[in-house]
Amino acid sequence: MSVDNETSAFFERTIMVLDPALGGLAALEATATLAEATTGRLDVLFVEDEDLLRVADFPFAREISLSGSGTRSLDAAALARDFQRAVERARRAVASTTHARRLDWRFDIVRQRLERAVETVSAHGNLIALEGLRPIAVERIKAQMAGPVSSSFLLAGRQLATSPGPVVVCAPAASDTAPARHLARHIARRSGVECIDISDFDEFLASIGVLTGRPWRPGNFPGFRPRLAVIGRTAWPEPGLLKILSARANCPVIMVGGTRRDEP
Amino acid sequence: MSEFPVSPLPAGQLYTHCDLAELPFETTAALPDLDRVPGQDRAIEAIRFGAQIRRQGYNLFVFGPSGTGKYAAVMAALREKAKSEAAPRDWVYVHNFQAAHKPIAVSLPVGQGQELKKRLARLIEEIRVALPAAFESEGYQKRRQTVEDTFRERQEQAFEEVRHAAVERGIALVRTPMGFAFAPMQDGEIQDPEQFNKRPAEERDKVQRDIEQLQDRLAEVIKLIPGWEKEHREAIRGLNRETTATAVSQEIDDIRAAFSEQPRVLDHLEAMRVDLVENVHTLLGLEHARGAQDDVPQPPIQHASAFNRYSANLIVGDGAGEGAPVVEETNPTLGNLIGRVEHLQHMGALITDFTLIKPGALHLANGGYLVLDALKVLVQPMAWDALKRALKSRRIAIESLGQTLSLISTVSLEPEPIPLDVKVVLHGDPMIYYLLGYLDPEFRDLFKVAAEFDDTMDRTSPSTVEYARLLATMARREDLLPLDRTAVGRVIEHAARVSSDAGKLTARIETIGDVVREADFYARKDGGATIEVRHVQAAIDAQIHRADRLRERSMEMIGQGIVLIDTDGAAVGQINGLSVIDLGGFSFGRPTRITARASLGSGKVIDIEREVELGGPIHSKGVLILSALLASRFGVDAPLSLSASLVFEQSYGGVEGDSASAAEYFALLSAISEVPIKQSLAFTGSINQHGTIQAIGGVNEKIEGFFDVCRGRGLNGEHGVVIPKSNVRHLMLRRDVVDACEKGLFRVFPVERAEEGIILAMGIAAGERGPDGRFPEGTVYRRTEDRLRAFAAARRAFGTSQGPEAGSEK
């Protein structure tokens, strides 16, 4: 797939980080859609979490099955087999999704601590899909987001493109609005939808269904549902709000920390 | 018996003219229409009776010769009756939500079937829009989000509590590929196992105990998850039900209000409402969307066809007709009769549903009349059985041929049978009627009313006028020229000829109609304004000419001497018999030479035709009768010691009928008595054991057949035909035959007794036994008796000289 200059200008890479629990696959469609619109390529980083391997080294380590089938002793060999199965499943899903979009993709496997892997990829101007990672890793990222960071983050619990609504963007501070606005307008243009700029953060939250009962000017009509929400660096929510935002927003949300356009 | 000369019939008795005085009009244009089929009063009365009586089994069988107007009379009578009757109720098939393979039949007042179909179609269109809109609405999305948030929060809260409890004890809850695990923490991270092992044993034991407790606690939480998920699904399903019910309620309630008097429609609408609510996921493809999360590709769901089951299939009630229906099914296959279930090919499989149920003729005629050609029903596989089954059970159950014959056992539709109230009218030939009555024990119970159409009607003054009106009606309806009075007279005379009886008129209206239509052709060709007698005659002549090839060939062969027929002189044991060749619509007479030989024997008359199996049973019967007559005349005081043989010369196609038995008798007498028979005469008539000459069929054709042969060789006043006296009333001879008779060139002799025929054939009286028991000298019978006595004496003498015979003549 050829990548136009405008598309490749925003982020270095679009990276989806998957841990062995594969919770992030729920956001695969949305991530692929955004990769198509921004970097023209999807990178998947499967992390064979060293913490899990370390857990398996404890003599009393047991796994409590989520399917309700009880517990089993957790050993490194069994865990390695589980990792392998998870890798195969993830690879199939990524191949299927990108094939349908004729999107280039890459699938990397690293054995590392999950937090460390996320820290590494978020150090550059990447778009990182955070959905489904285990809480301890997300907590780490939240902490990281409090400081200066050049990456952007995608909360994509909701599928992209299920709504024909507009792209909404909230980037109030004039000095730091350009990357977020650029990105929002670019995606809106590619999708053939409107781009609505909302400076008031509460109004913005109302527009994406997180705050209810709040008067909201542009979308104050029934059935309004944005296609995508973009939050500029100056409007990034407090870490405590991140979870609510992730759970309640009725569309995918990109928190833009920086893009390649920020660079001189 | 006294001898008397037999006089030939006067020309006036050879042809009964139509008395034009009975036709008080110039042309048929002046005559009013005839609104019934003439001469069929009995049949019409039976049809009316059959149409009116509303009892089981009182179906009609209308039979009679073809061309007698059966069909037209039946249709006219039924349409008239149906006009005054109420139109039947509509019928629709709808989906059975409890058992999909058994569609439900719903009866509705006239016009409401179409209305229900339209409204359900509109409902489908509206809910296909309204349902997705309802499920995409902000209100639904928010409520669903609330439900999902509640579920997720409850789950997360439960895990969070466990996680929090773990963190408080310095233990981390870790997500593994298949579930969760606990591990000791240090500085917010999972502790290295080696470091952990360096901790004091009590600490390690405590951590292990804590972890075991936490594992138990987490296991308890996980056990709760399926219940929560179930609650979550139920909550979503409840929300979907509520949303669906709200989205479709108004539309369904509108239809309910329109059909509030129809309990079955109301039941169906309620079942539909429940089904919509229960299956909204399938209808909207939500199941598909959910399935897409799996890696396995999902087949597309046909949403459009999923909505089909909410439609209605209108079987009866297009709203076109007024009154009761009168339906004629010209191709009464099983499916066309009782309806069928059609199938669609889909990816190599045949699929069907209630929308593919097609009505049969019984459905369309239900509440009215169904007219069927009996023969067509009988030749279609299983159609007759299906018709009887429907009439007996008084309901229409749709079954395919495969189901009826148990050839297929795949699940198919079993549409609910529809109650049947129909009058079936079968029409056909008398043979079919009588065969069915003889062979099918159920036939009489199901077709109790027989309406028999006659092939002739009496030729009286009123019926002549009625016939004229029939011609007038035909001319008007078919846009033919009117017939003038003479043309009508000629048609009526032709009708008498077709009926083979001067005192009757044919009721085969179609045959007469053909003559009139063709006469119209000739009249128009002449540029005339009316059909005249010459046009009628031209039409008759042309019809004969078109069919005349075989007769001409036959006459040609006689003329060339290939077929041997003598028309002059006299010969012993040889007589001209007469036969009729029937070619369907045309028949003609032809002379046939019959010969007899007599010799010494045991009193047996051999019918050669029978011996070689070319003689039919009636012909054989005739020969046996004349043998008995011979025996009674001459075998009273001595056994008949002759062996005689009879044969139709140059006959290769079989002989049937007894109309030549009198001629055969005369030939036999000639052979025995050696008195020659005049070859200028031909003979026809059957003979009984008392010597009475009895009527035969085809007398006109037979006379004309011999006349044509004689005319070809030159009429000399000696030629003629001897016919039974009882056939005189049937004479409607051709004009040229009548003219020849009028001039004395040809003669027709009516005879009543064999003795009259004998004197005509041999020129000598037959003779009557005198007081001495002997026939007078010189008579035919005396000569016959003398010869037979000579045979007997010779036989006795032969027996004495040869000794007792051990053979067949014992």
Side-chain angles (χ1 to χ4, degrees):
Chain A
M1 177 172 178
S2 64
V3 178
D4 62 70
N5 291 334
E6 189 177 11
T7 297
S8 59
F10 286 101
F11 305 112
E12 188 75 31
R13 297 157 70 196
T14 300
I15 301 173
M16 174 168 222
V17 181
L18 292 175
D19 66 11
L22 298 183
L25 282 183
L28 178 58
E29 282 284 333
T31 310
T33 303
L34 284 170
E36 198 177 8
T38 55
T39 57
R41 166 194 173 97
L42 175 64
D43 289 354
V44 177
L45 183 66
F46 184 89
V47 183
E48 293 184 343
D49 193 355
E50 283 182 338
D51 277 349
L52 282 181
L53 294 169
R54 190 178 291 175
V55 170
D57 285 341
F58 288 107
F60 47 79
R62 299 190 69 77
E63 184 181 45
I64 301 111
S65 169
L66 195 55
S67 64
S69 60
T71 60
R72 62 164 186 168
S73 52
L74 196 64
D75 61 75
L79 208 53
R81 286 195 297 274
D82 288 344
F83 284 177
Q84 189 57 38
R85 277 195 288 272
V87 164
E88 288 307 316
R89 189 180 159 207
R91 196 193 296 273
R92 271 204 311 275
V94 172
S96 169
T97 303
T98 53
H99 177 75
R101 298 165 186 280
R102 304 171 64 85
L103 183 67
D104 289 341
W105 62 286
R106 177 186 167 117
F107 194 97
D108 292 312
I109 304 168
V110 295
R111 180 165 292 191
Q112 206 172 16
R113 295 187 64 213
L114 182 62
E115 293 86 339
R116 181 68 197 141
V118 172
E119 279 174 10
T120 305
V121 295
S122 60
H124 308 286
N126 297 326
L127 173 64
I128 302 161
L130 287 178
E131 194 67 28
L133 297 183
R134 64 187 164 88
I136 195 167
V138 177
E139 288 299 330
R140 180 62 58 87
I141 294 161
K142 283 181 201 167
Q144 190 182 359
M145 283 163 59
V149 60
S150 61
S151 276
S152 301
F153 300 93
L154 170 64
L155 305 172
R158 302 285 181 272
Q159 295 292 325
L160 197 69
T162 53
S163 164
V167 173
V168 291
V169 58
C170 183
S175 60
D176 201 10
T177 55
R181 284 198 175 128
H182 264 109
L183 179 66
R185 285 172 188 161
H186 170 72
I187 293 173
R189 192 165 57 248
R190 279 188 64 106
S191 307
V193 297
E194 194 182 354
C195 181
I196 299 175
D197 197 332
I198 306 171
S199 55
D200 182 88
F201 190 62
D202 284 350
E203 272 189 17
F204 172 79
L205 291 178
S207 76
I208 60 174
V210 174
L211 281 181
T212 55
R214 170 95 185 178
W216 177 64
R217 185 173 34 81
N220 200 9
F221 54 87
F224 180 86
R225 189 176 167 203
R227 180 181 175 80
L228 174 70
V230 178
I231 305 177
R233 182 72 177 85
T234 52
W236 276 23
E238 295 299 318
L241 191 57
L242 197 61
K243 183 178 170 187
I244 296 171
L245 191 65
S246 171
R248 292 198 177 165
N250 57 17
C251 65
V253 179
I254 297 178
M255 295 189 299
V256 179
T259 70
R260 290 174 62 182
R261 292 200 171 188
D262 297 336
E263 295 167 8
Chain B
M1 179 186 283
S2 62
E3 301 224 0
F4 60 91
V6 178
S7 302
L9 287 170
Q13 280 190 272
L14 302 179
Y15 188 91
T16 305
H17 287 277
C18 178
D19 184 1
L20 295 183
E22 291 176 346
L23 304 174
F25 56 87
E26 286 302 315
T27 71
T28 53
L31 294 175
D33 275 348
L34 186 67
D35 55 359
R36 61 196 184 84
V37 182
Q40 307 290 4
D41 292 346
R42 188 204 314 264
I44 300 295
E45 191 183 327
I47 292 170
R48 286 188 179 143
F49 167 76
Q52 282 172 3
I53 187 166
R54 282 282 170 191
R55 295 282 174 190
Q56 190 170 15
Y58 279 84
N59 297 295
L60 282 114
F61 197 111
V62 181
F63 63 98
S66 61
T68 49
K70 294 189 300 290
Y71 175 76
V74 165
M75 294 306 278
L78 295 183
R79 283 185 181 134
E80 184 63 31
K81 177 77 173 58
K83 214 184 292 177
S84 62
E85 294 175 349
R89 290 170 70 85
D90 293 352
W91 283 96
V92 295
Y93 270 113
V94 293
H95 183 69
N96 184 340
F97 295 105
Q98 273 71 48
H101 69 293
K102 291 184 174 178
I104 296 169
V106 179
S107 169
L108 291 164
V110 181
Q112 288 200 19
Q114 188 70 263
E115 180 64 18
L116 179 65
K117 182 183 175 182
K118 278 185 195 165
R119 295 195 74 148
L120 288 179
R122 207 179 307 143
L123 170 75
I124 290 171
E125 289 305 312
E126 284 171 2
I127 60 178
R128 285 177 72 173
V129 175
L131 273 182
F135 279 83
E136 285 171 10
S137 69
E138 190 178 10
Y140 171 81
Q141 293 290 345
K142 280 185 175 169
R143 290 182 66 186
R144 177 159 185 153
Q145 190 61 49
T146 304
V147 172
E148 286 180 349
D149 287 349
T150 304
F151 168 72
R152 187 166 50 230
E153 280 168 13
R154 177 154 66 170
Q155 195 171 322
E156 283 177 0
Q157 190 179 345
F159 282 113
E160 187 58 31
E161 283 171 10
V162 176
R163 194 168 73 89
H164 187 66
V167 170
E168 280 183 344
R169 299 178 197 188
I171 294 169
L173 174 63
V174 182
R175 180 78 198 269
T176 65
M178 306 299 289
F180 295 95
F182 290 100
M185 291 174 65
Q186 191 172 38
D187 300 331
E189 293 183 357
I190 294 169
Q191 189 172 23
D192 188 274
E194 286 180 11
Q195 293 294 322
F196 177 75
N197 286 334
K198 290 177 183 171
R199 288 165 73 173
E202 290 128 22
E203 272 186 43
R204 294 204 305 270
D205 290 345
K206 183 178 180 304
V207 168
Q208 191 167 345
R209 279 198 304 277
D210 286 346
I211 284 178
E212 284 169 359
Q213 284 175 2
L214 288 166
Q215 283 171 345
D216 291 344
R217 197 166 163 185
L218 182 62
E220 289 301 315
V221 170
I222 288 174
K223 275 183 193 169
L224 293 174
I225 291 176
W228 292 343
E229 283 177 344
K230 188 178 175 189
E231 279 178 35
H232 170 240
R233 284 196 300 272
E234 285 299 324
I236 294 292
R237 199 169 291 143
L239 174 62
N240 290 347
R241 282 199 196 103
E242 191 186 324
T243 305
T244 307
T246 307
V248 303
S249 273
Q250 187 59 49
E251 303 300 334
I252 290 180
D253 288 346
D254 286 350
I255 301 175
R256 281 181 63 89
F259 292 89
S260 59
E261 304 290 319
Q262 306 303 327
R264 292 206 86 183
V265 175
L266 299 182
D267 290 347
H268 176 67
L269 290 172
E270 274 319 295
M272 182 191 293
R273 191 198 302 266
V274 171
D275 188 78
L276 273 164
V277 167
E278 293 297 328
N279 295 290
V280 66
H281 273 87
T282 309
L283 294 170
L284 295 176
L286 299 182
E287 292 289 357
H288 179 222
R290 191 186 297 167
Q293 293 176 5
D294 298 332
D295 303 335
V296 182
Q298 301 291 314
I301 295 173
Q302 294 189 330
H303 306 303
S305 62
F307 280 99
N308 271 356
R309 60 180 167 175
Y310 304 115
S311 64
N313 181 5
L314 183 64
I315 295 291
V316 178
D318 58 6
E322 288 181 1
V326 179
V327 175
E328 188 202 6
E329 177 54 63
T330 55
N331 183 24
T333 59
L334 179 68
N336 287 353
L337 213 50
I338 62 167
R340 60 185 178 278
V341 178
E342 295 184 338
H343 294 76
L344 288 174
Q345 195 273 344
H346 178 68
M347 298 179 75
L350 293 176
I351 58 169
T352 187
D353 62 25
F354 74 98
T355 62
L356 296 175
I357 299 172
K358 303 294 175 189
L362 283 171
H363 292 98
L364 301 175
N366 201 3
Y369 305 90
L370 174 60
V371 181
L372 298 167
D373 184 325
L375 182 61
K376 288 180 180 171
V377 176
L378 289 168
V379 299
Q380 289 294 342
M382 304 308 294
W384 175 243
D385 280 343
L387 178 65
K388 286 193 299 179
R389 200 160 47 242
L391 290 174
K392 272 166 65 181
S393 62
R394 305 183 76 171
R395 56 186 210 156
I396 316 167
I398 298 177
E399 276 187 355
S400 70
L401 199 57
Q403 287 171 310
T404 306
L405 297 174
S406 300
L407 294 177
I408 52 172
S409 55
T410 50
V411 175
S412 186
L413 291 190
E414 295 172 32
E416 183 182 13
I418 288 177
L420 178 65
D421 176 22
V422 71
K423 184 77 70 181
V424 175
V425 181
L426 292 178
H427 59 89
D429 289 341
M431 178 68 80
I432 294 173
Y433 177 78
Y434 293 119
L435 277 177
L436 281 172
Y438 179 65
L439 297 171
D440 188 341
E442 294 172 329
F443 174 68
R444 299 277 185 204
D445 293 336
L446 292 173
F447 291 87
K448 293 183 176 178
V449 183
E452 181 173 11
F453 276 66
D454 205 345
D455 62 346
T456 61
M457 56 192 284
D458 288 340
R459 184 179 176 186
T460 61
S461 186
S463 68
T464 300
V465 174
E466 206 166 57
Y467 221 82
R469 283 180 61 191
L470 174 71
L471 299 177
T473 308
M474 190 185 295
R476 269 193 289 274
R477 283 189 185 158
E478 299 188 23
D479 199 22
L480 305 174
L481 294 173
L483 292 87
D484 71 14
R485 198 157 55 134
T486 56
V488 171
R490 181 66 188 96
V491 172
I492 286 171
E493 289 164 6
H494 182 64
R497 167 62 192 256
V498 171
S499 75
S500 300
D501 190 336
K504 298 275 185 186
L505 296 171
T506 185
R508 295 185 184 225
I509 295 161
E510 197 53 33
T511 306
I512 297 305
D514 288 345
V515 170
V516 176
R517 285 178 207 109
E518 290 168 30
D520 172 80
F521 170 77
Y522 290 113
R524 288 181 192 274
K525 205 172 169 187
D526 277 359
T530 56
I531 298 172
E532 299 170 15
V533 67
R534 60 194 170 100
H535 302 129
V536 176
Q537 189 59 49
I540 294 168
D541 292 344
Q543 280 189 348
I544 292 170
H545 180 70
R546 289 199 297 271
D548 209 25
R549 190 190 65 83
L550 200 61
R551 190 188 69 87
E552 278 185 7
R553 289 298 303 275
S554 176
M555 293 298 155
E556 187 181 295
M557 290 171 82
I558 292 171
Q560 292 170 345
I562 297 168
V563 173
L564 300 175
I565 298 290
D566 287 344
T567 52
D568 291 304
V572 171
Q574 175 179 308
I575 193 167
N576 290 322
L578 293 166
S579 58
V580 173
I581 311 294
D582 194 343
L583 302 176
F586 175 69
S587 57
F588 63 92
R590 188 183 67 167
T592 303
R593 173 177 288 180
I594 300 169
T595 60
R597 308 301 285 171
S599 59
L600 185 63
S602 61
K604 197 173 179 185
V605 176
I606 297 171
D607 175 9
I608 291 177
E609 305 294 337
R610 181 186 175 190
E611 294 296 317
V612 298
E613 296 182 349
L614 280 174
I618 299 172
H619 178 258
S620 299
K621 180 186 172 190
V623 174
L624 291 173
I625 287 171
L626 71 88
S627 302
L629 174 60
L630 195 67
S632 70
R633 282 270 192 278
F634 306 107
V636 178
D637 50 6
L640 290 178
S641 299
L642 89 159
S643 176
S645 60
L646 282 167
V647 69
F648 278 59
E649 302 288 358
Q650 295 181 290
S651 163
Y652 309 104
V655 177
E656 179 56 316
D658 63 352
S659 69
S661 60
E664 289 170 317
Y665 179 62
F666 301 151
L668 198 55
L669 287 177
S670 169
I672 298 167
S673 66
E674 296 183 316
V675 177
I677 292 173
K678 292 177 186 172
Q679 300 299 304
S680 57
L681 295 177
F683 296 80
T684 184
S686 73
I687 193 166
N688 68 11
Q689 293 194 102
H690 299 286
T692 305
I693 307 296
Q694 303 165 139
I696 45 80
V699 66
N700 292 302
E701 288 82 357
K702 286 174 175 172
I703 295 171
E704 288 163 1
F706 191 64
F707 173 83
D708 288 340
V709 173
C710 297
R711 185 174 58 180
R713 293 174 177 175
L715 294 169
N716 57 15
E718 292 296 317
H719 297 121
V721 176
V722 178
I723 64 166
K725 194 173 184 181
S726 48
N727 276 123
V728 171
R729 60 164 285 137
H730 301 139
L731 293 176
M732 283 297 288
L733 290 168
R734 269 188 347 230
R735 183 76 250 163
D736 52 350
V737 181
V738 176
D739 289 347
C741 291
E742 207 161 20
K743 291 173 186 167
L745 295 173
F746 196 77
R747 295 168 299 171
V748 177
F749 297 98
V751 296
E752 202 166 12
R753 300 277 314 158
E755 289 72 21
E756 296 170 83
I758 290 169
I759 195 170
L760 286 168
M762 304 180 205
I764 302 172
E768 191 175 355
R769 286 189 191 278
D772 58 349
R774 301 297 305 278
F775 292 106
E777 279 288 343
T779 61
V780 174
Y781 284 168
R782 178 60 179 262
R783 291 188 187 193
T784 304
E785 193 170 58
D786 289 349
R787 186 91 191 280
L788 288 171
R789 281 171 187 261
F791 280 155
R795 191 182 174 201
R796 273 198 302 275
F798 183 77
T800 305
S801 64
Q802 296 295 316
E805 291 179 70
S808 61
E809 292 198 337
K810 192 179 285 182

